[in-house]
Amino acid sequence: MYIRNVFFGHTIQDAHLRTMNISNKIQIIKFLFIRLSSMGDILLTTPVIRAIRSQFPNARIDYLVSKPFADVLAGNPYIDNLLIYDKSKSTAEIL
């Protein structure tokens, strides 16, 4: 079974292709989950996030979610950065 990275459209097995070398020993893999609606879908992504964290402990995991659903993910220890989508703000202000 392949899990798709929502932002890049690549499988997790291809994640090593998107790494950024900081030194010879450390590599950072970034995942961005985007789910702006549907609380059920948001809840169903939490086991995937946990599995990615266990497979890639040094990865950066960000999640972009609409403001009404932010409380569902607040405090999740596997998410590094919870981004709140607000239609009134520009992309630069959100990121």
Side-chain angles (χ1 to χ4, degrees), residues 21-53:
N21 288 323
I22 295 185
S23 71
N24 291 336
K25 296 182 181 181
I26 299 174
Q27 292 183 340
I28 294 179
I29 300 171
K30 297 179 181 181
F31 293 92
L32 174 61
F33 288 84
I34 302 172
R35 203 59 239 164
L36 301 177
S37 64
S38 184
M39 185 180 300
D41 288 347
I42 293 170
L43 290 173
L44 288 173
T45 61
T46 55
V48 175
I49 295 168
R50 184 176 55 242
I52 289 174
R53 176 62 71 203

